[in-house]
Amino acid sequence: MKKLFLSLAVVAALTIVSCKESTEDKMEDSMESMGHDIESGLEDAGDAIDSTATKMGNDMEEGAEKMGDEIKDATN
C-alpha cells in the first residue's frame, strides 16, 4: 500500500512539474509576443509622428510663401 501511495505521489509530482514547465514556456512565449506587439506599435507611432511633422513643415512653408506673396502684392 505504501509503495502504491508513493508511486502515485511521484506521478502527481511529475505531472505538476511538467505542467509548470509548459506554463512557463507559454508565459515566455506570451511575453515575447507582447514585446513584439509593443515594438511594432511604437514603430507605427514613430512613423505617424514623422509623417505628421513632415506634413506640418510643408504646410508652414507653403503658408509662409503665400504670406510673402501677399506682402509683395500689398506693397506694389
Side-chain angles (χ1 to χ4, degrees):
M1 186 73 171
K2 244 184 187 178
K3 288 182 182 180
L4 178 63
F5 180 71
L6 290 174
S7 297
L8 290 175
V10 168
V11 169
L14 291 175
T15 303
I16 291 171
V17 169
S18 68
C19 180
K20 285 183 180 178
E21 287 176 9
S22 67
T23 302
E24 288 175 7
D25 291 342
K26 288 179 183 179
M27 188 179 212
E28 184 178 332
D29 291 343
S30 294
M31 294 294 283
E32 285 179 19
S33 178
M34 287 178 10
H36 291 296
D37 291 346
I38 290 170
E39 184 178 349
S40 177
L42 289 174
E43 286 176 2
D44 291 345
D47 291 344
I49 290 170
D50 287 343
S51 176
T52 302
T54 300
K55 185 176 179 195
M56 286 179 60
N58 291 340
D59 290 347
M60 290 174 64
E61 188 175 329
E62 288 176 16
E65 288 175 2
K66 286 181 183 178
M67 190 182 299
D69 290 343
E70 289 178 12
I71 291 172
K72 283 182 186 177
D73 289 345
T75 58
N76 287 334

